[in-house]
Each structure stands twice: as structure tokens, then as C-alpha cells.
Amino acid sequence: MTNYKYCLAVFILILSEHFGYGQNVVRYDLTVTDTIVNFSGKEKRAIAVNGQIPMPTLTFTEGDIAEIVVHNKLKEGTSLHWHGVYLPNKEDGVPFLTQMPIAPNTTHTYRFPIIQNGTHWYHSHSGLQEQIGMYGSLVLKKKDTDPTFREGIDDLPTVPVILSEWTDIKPENVHRMLHNANDWGGIKKGTVQSYSEAIKAGHFKTKLENEWKRMLAMDVSDVYYDKFLINGKNVSQLSQFKAGDEVRLRIANGGASSYFWLSYAGGKMTVVANDGNDIEPVEVDRLIIGVSETYDVVVSIPQEGTAYEFLATPEDRTKSASIYLGNGIIQLKSRMPKLKYFEGMEMMNGMMNMDGSMDDMGMDMSLQQMDMNTVMYPEVSGSGDMKKDDNMDHSGHSMKLAQDLVTLNYGMLKAPHPTSLPKDAPVRELRFELTGNMNRYVWSMDNKVLSETDKILIKKGENVRITLYNGSMMRHPMHLHGHDFRVLNGQGEYAPLKNVLDIMPMETDTIEFLANAEGDWFFHCHILYHMMAGMNRVFSYEQQAPNPYLPDKKWAYKKLQKESNEFHFMAENDFASNGNDGRAMIQNSRWSIGTEWRLGYHDDHGYESETHIGRYIGKNQWFMPFVGFDWRYRKTEGMAEKNIFGQGNTKDNRAVLSIGAEYTLPLLLTLQGEVFTDGYVRFQLMREDIPISPRLRWAFMINTDKEYMTGFKYIITRNLGISTHYDSDMGFGLGATINY
């Protein structure tokens, strides 16, 4: 062979290895655009890909080369993450970690080999875009010659099913409201758990103890959603299936923050895969799918002339979404009854210590096998009202006694083939506690948000074993990019492989994976608003090759850290007959900058403002030291007012600096102490937003200056209320309260 031919052959060989020469290249062009949708009767902005929501289903066969060309027509950057897919790190689609955002009016190509099979999905990893349309199904099929091909499962007709939710409120505003403890969502869902509701339910003592332990109302799902969707629709039908047919549903939970109960009116479901990995088939009556998880289930059509409902019910049970399989009379699945929140609150009280820490009472909880929320389920206690939806044409419901229900948990998952890691590999042990602050909506790991941590260094070739303890009162679906991990669930060498682990409150679970894919890989809670609030980490391989998409990785990582610790703004103003008072605040996970004002309509009532800059201290953030500035003016004609310590204050024109602290007491009372530069001392006790009824709130304040205030507010809309109050300086007032 001549040197020329030899060089050509070597060149072709290199091309074949690097670019998959001889493999099937499957290309998709995805155009990302702004659009207007109407899911709830209101037109709202969303993001469409190729003109549709959800994004197009992408299908590949193991062995293909995926080539996805993204055309960004938005006015903002975007990205796409291939959830659960093994790929080169630079193709993983996390802005500022594996690539720069795809800039407006530019094109970016993702290209990677398909070296696995299973049900997956893909979504934007930029900001909160996933919430408004950027999610879609991703199906990786087995080859017909695959030795793991299962007859009667892998050859069934399949239907990609992607679950999601829709809110008419901009997701950025949703996130801001969560950080400001705005409970408009609770009002919409009927879950405020006010004192009047507690008395009616016979749980006044439960409510009082709940607030004595400084806890807000029992929460199941953070966000109120206007509509729940399956494949972009609330209700749809697959009429092509007939009696005797078996159908494989490839289900992905593409919701931003919703868990879904899945059930089927045609009988049991057979679970055959989870997170893209085969499992030994297991029959269940229902299962809960965590945010970002995937499950493959096989269902059958029992009779001709009937369309059987596949029902997805969000965990808070406010609404539902359905697909009907078959053609004919609709057979509905029994609706899940409303949750018993005060029973859940009573149980939570018993598990929470006064300092805000969890008391596990010696229970060994793991793998969803002991659901701490079971006490809230009426169908378990048999007190549920299993009623039908009278707005739908149907012949009846499938009914089943709750005591006979088989509910899937992680302990029931078993891999069909051994999944053991190399026995001779070094083991790196890590432990994380999932931590959070519901009052301020701060989510963290080991009480640190991403902006307060460095990357976690691991070495290629070692086994990484992670113990996760959920010390918060919310469940967290923890997702690892680029790898599957073994869930140590008692199945020995047949432990199932997953890439998302839903961890219930108080659970301790252990996962492990072989570090075999170099790069920087995200590990985070997949509830979108928890992730954006700081519950993230990055696993970084030592001595990894440079990423061509990130020329300045140190700068990019700082950008990523900043994204999960943004400042959030809130403001409220009361326009009353006796004056104007209000407040404004900007906060992130640690810092708070707030100002309050009270403005009378004449000099006798006076004008005053207080500004504080503080930092929250401690795991539960009960304590905040601050520095401040206080300005007051009131026409008193030189008359001095004395506080309870005998210190005089004319209030004529007082501008002073201060140092002080704020502490959250039991019953969610706020105690504030302040020393001013003129030697004046003030202590103040107050509480706002005490829920008398779902919409009626009480507030009061008293301080050592002998000032006091009490008032009520009735919430009309998300941003408007009517209020009345009495102030020791300005007297009685009636007006309207506007908040943002």
C-alpha cells in the first residue's frame, strides 16, 4: 500500500471512530419560538418548539448517532438537556456548566452516540423555561437483535406519555411568591389550614402546636396550577386500541414541581421499566411518579366498546388529566379524595422538635416503603368519598377497596440482570443531608446552597457511594446527570438502576455509581423551584480534558452559582383613610434588605421609615442580626414621649443609625431588638398574616415605645385586599392593600 493510500485509510478509520462512520445518523431540527397558549381560558406566553407544546417526541434506536440542531428564535438564551442519557459531558446541555447558553438568533448542534435504550425525556435547563413548554419525550428503542429484548413487552405497541402542568402566573413570579411566603396558591387550592378551619375540623390544638413549633401550614405541593396535561392536553383519547390489546405506555413526568398518582380504570398496571432501565415486571394498582422520573407500564383493554381511563392525579389532588384507551362508553377511574391536611399536620407536629429539627422517633424509613403522608390519605382509613365526575358522560367507575390496593415503592424494583459495580475499584463515600427552610423557601444540601460550595471532586474508575438523608418536610427527587446509579434496596446484585431518586421526608437512602464519564455533572433536586433556590451540587472528575464549549470555566461556574441564589423582591402598601404605610424587601438565601414606612396625612400623625440590612444565621434561619437607619418626624411641639425604660424621644426630627437583631419565636412571633446611635433602645414584638380564615388575616405590633397596632386584612385577589387597622399614632383607618 502506498503512503497516500495508507494515510487515507488511517484518516477514514479515525473518522469512523470519532463520528460514527457507518452508523445511522438521525437528525432533528428544533426551532424554539415564543408563542401564545390558552390552557385555562386566558391567553398567556409560552415557548413552543417546532410550533408545538410539548416539544416533538424524538425517537432513536440504540446504535444511532443523534444529531439535534437547535435554532433559537427567542429573545433570550436557551438550552436542551437530555435527561437520563449517557453522552459526552459537553453535550449535556447545562448552561454555564457544560456549554454556554444558545444565544438568541443562533444555532447549536448537539451530537452524540446512542449507547443505551429506554424511556427518557428532554427539557430546557435555562432558567424556568421548562415550566412554560420546553419539555418533550425521548424514546431510545432496543435493536431487534438485542439479547435483552423481551417478547411480549419490547414488541408491544407503545405510546409516549409526558405529564406536565400549567400555571397562568409567570414562573419567575411563582418563584418570587414562594420566596415571599405568599399563600395565594393555598387559597386557590383550599389548603390554607386557617384557625377557623382547624376549629371546624376539631384540630384547634393541632394548629396551635404547629405554629408553636414555628411551622407554616402543612404543604404537599408548592404551586397552584390552573391545568394538568398529558401530551399537552387535559383530556384525550386513543381510540385505535380494541379488546385484548396490550399497550406499553412510556411515561415521563415533565412537570416542573408536580408528583402524579397514576392509575388505570381497566385494571392493574404492569411496571416493566423505570428511568429508562428494564425491571422485573411487577403488577400494581397505582404508583406515584416523582418529578422527572420515567416509568414504562403495560396496560390491557379488557372489553370491546369501552374506553378505559388512564388517570394522572397530582399529589395535592386538586385536579387531574386523562387519556382514554379504547373506543366506546367511557369507564372512569375513581377520583382520589381530598387530603386530610390537619391529620398530616398532627403527625408532622410529633416529628418536629422545637428547634426546627426532625425527630425520626427511631423509625427506619427508606425507599418510599413507609409513606409518612399516608395518614393524610382518606382512602387508606376508609373515610374517603369516592365520587364520580358528574360533568362527564360515563357508565360508571372502576371501584376497589383501598385496603386491597397495591402501591409501588422502590423496594419492589428489581433489575433483570446483575448491576454490581467492580469489586476491586476504590470506594468514595459521601453523605448529604437535604435541608430547607419552608418559611423563606431556601433549599440546600448540608445547609449550603450552590453559591456557597465548590465542586465535589471524584476520580474516574472509583465507585461513588452516596447516603442521602432528607431532613426537610418536603420530598425531593434527586437527579444525577450523565450516569445511572444503583439504588441499594435489598435486591443485592440485582439492585435497580435509576437516575432520579425521590426521597420522602425523614428517609435515608443509599445510591452508588461507577465514575466512568469524565466532566462536570449536575446533581440536583428536580423540582424546578427547589433547584433554582439552591439545592444543587456538581460532581467534577479530576484531570478531565478541557471543554471546548466553555473557554472560561471558572467564570462560568460563578454564573451558575449566581443563578441559584438570586435576589427576590416584594412590596406591600396600605392606602388607608388615616395614612399610608407599607414595606419593600429584597432577599436571597442569606441576605435581607428591607424598608418600612408610615406616612400620615398631616404633621400631627407624622412620617417615619426604617431600613434594615441583615443576614440570616443558622440552619433554620430564626435569627437575623442587622444594621439599620431610622428616620422619624412628628409635630409634637417639643413634647417628649418616654419609652418603658424612661428614655425620652421627641420624634420631631430624628435620624439615627442602629444595630440590632430579629428572632422568630414560637407561634411565629417576631421579636426585634435595636440599639440606636443616640443610645435609645427599642424592643418590638409583632406578627403579620395570622390566618383567621382562608382569606381573613390578623396582624398586631407592640413595642417598648408604647406604640401598638392591630388590624385585619381580607384577601380579594392575589394582589389586592381590603384592610382595617388601629394605630396608636394615626388612629383608626380603613383602606385597600396592594401587594407585589
Side-chain angles (χ1 to χ4, degrees), residues 35-55:
T35 191
I36 300 294
V37 298
N38 188 339
F39 288 116
S40 64
K42 298 179 181 179
E43 291 191 342
K44 295 292 178 179
R45 183 231 176 188
I47 299 176
V49 172
N50 292 3
Q52 67 180 72
I53 297 173
M55 298 189 289

Side-chain angles (χ1 to χ4, degrees), residues 19-313:
F19 292 102
Y21 180 81
Q23 291 179 275
N24 184 35
V25 177
V26 179
R27 172 178 168 136
Y28 288 94
D29 280 84
L30 303 177
T31 302
V32 186
T33 58
D34 273 314
T35 191
I36 300 294
V37 298
N38 188 339
F39 288 116
S40 64
K42 298 179 181 179
E43 291 191 342
K44 295 292 178 179
R45 183 231 176 188
I47 299 176
V49 172
N50 292 3
Q52 67 180 72
I53 297 173
M55 298 189 289
T57 297
L58 307 185
T59 303
F60 302 93
T61 300
E62 188 170 359
D64 289 344
I65 295 292
E67 187 173 273
I68 301 115
V69 183
V70 181
H71 308 271
N72 183 15
K73 302 299 183 183
L74 301 174
K75 295 179 181 179
E76 61 191 73
T78 191
S79 61
L80 287 177
H81 166 60
W82 318 99
H83 184 102
V85 178
Y86 310 148
L87 37 56
N89 186 242
K90 66 185 180 67
E91 307 295 339
D92 194 45
V94 182
F96 304 116
L97 184 65
T98 66
Q99 66 171 87
M100 293 299 293
I102 305 171
N105 298 310
T106 64
T107 296
H108 180 84
T109 300
Y110 294 96
R111 201 173 198 276
F112 49 88
I114 304 298
I115 59 174
Q116 67 196 110
N117 58 71
T119 300
H120 301 280
W121 65 296
Y122 68 113
H123 58 88
S124 171
H125 228 295
S126 295
L128 301 167
Q129 292 176 349
E130 177 191 321
Q131 178 74 91
I132 55 173
M134 289 196 69
Y135 53 88
S137 293
L138 179 62
V139 176
L140 311 181
K141 298 190 297 185
K142 289 182 181 179
K143 293 180 180 179
D144 293 340
T145 57
D146 192 315
T148 68
F149 194 91
R150 299 177 292 177
E151 292 185 5
I153 296 178
D154 294 324
D155 52 0
L156 290 176
T158 67
V159 177
V161 172
I162 190 157
L163 312 171
S164 63
E165 75 273 276
W166 177 262
T167 171
D168 283 336
I169 303 174
K170 287 178 61 176
E172 291 80 7
N173 203 14
V174 170
H175 200 208
R176 185 186 61 81
M177 290 165 61
L178 290 169
H179 279 272
N180 294 321
N182 183 310
D183 69 345
W184 177 248
I187 292 174
K188 295 286 284 183
K189 290 193 287 186
T191 60
V192 172
Q193 301 154 59
S194 63
Y195 275 100
S196 64
E197 293 170 293
I199 292 170
K200 185 178 179 181
H203 276 283
F204 175 76
K205 182 181 177 182
T206 300
K207 176 66 176 175
L208 197 64
E209 184 181 356
N210 181 73
E211 295 201 338
W212 180 255
K213 293 191 174 184
R214 293 176 280 197
M215 289 186 284
L216 297 175
M218 181 76 179
D219 200 6
V220 171
S221 182
D222 295 335
V223 183
Y224 170 78
Y225 287 105
D226 296 279
K227 195 69 72 173
F228 294 93
L229 309 170
I230 299 178
N231 293 342
K233 297 180 180 179
N234 182 247
V235 177
S236 59
Q237 186 166 356
L238 301 172
S239 56
Q240 68 268 34
F241 299 112
K242 59 185 184 301
D245 284 351
E246 288 190 313
V247 185
R248 179 176 181 171
L249 303 177
R250 294 180 173 268
I251 308 162
N253 184 354
S257 67
S258 298
Y259 286 70
F260 289 93
W261 281 106
L262 305 180
S263 54
Y264 178 55
K268 288 183 178 290
M269 303 176 290
T270 302
V271 183
V272 298
N274 174 224
D275 286 352
N277 295 289
D278 290 347
I279 63 167
E280 291 287 356
V282 56
E283 278 194 344
V284 298
D285 293 292
R286 64 180 186 176
L287 65 91
I288 192 165
I289 182 170
V291 177
S292 82
E293 282 189 302
T294 73
Y295 279 100
D296 290 31
V297 303
V298 175
V299 297
S300 61
I301 315 297
Q303 296 178 10
E304 197 62 60
T306 305
Y308 295 90
E309 182 180 32
F310 179 79
L311 179 66
T313 306

Side-chain angles (χ1 to χ4, degrees), residues 367-388:
L367 306 169
Q368 303 178 324
Q369 294 176 97
M370 185 182 293
D371 187 345
M372 65 167 288
N373 292 326
T374 299
V375 69
M376 299 174 66
Y377 298 169
E379 68 272 22
V380 172
S381 63
S383 62
D385 178 17
M386 307 294 271
K387 61 178 182 253
K388 61 186 179 182

Side-chain angles (χ1 to χ4, degrees), residues 634-642 648-652:
R634 185 179 177 193
K635 187 178 179 182
T636 60
E637 298 179 353
M639 232 167 70
E641 295 181 358
K642 290 191 175 182
N649 175 21
T650 65
K651 293 187 181 178
D652 280 352

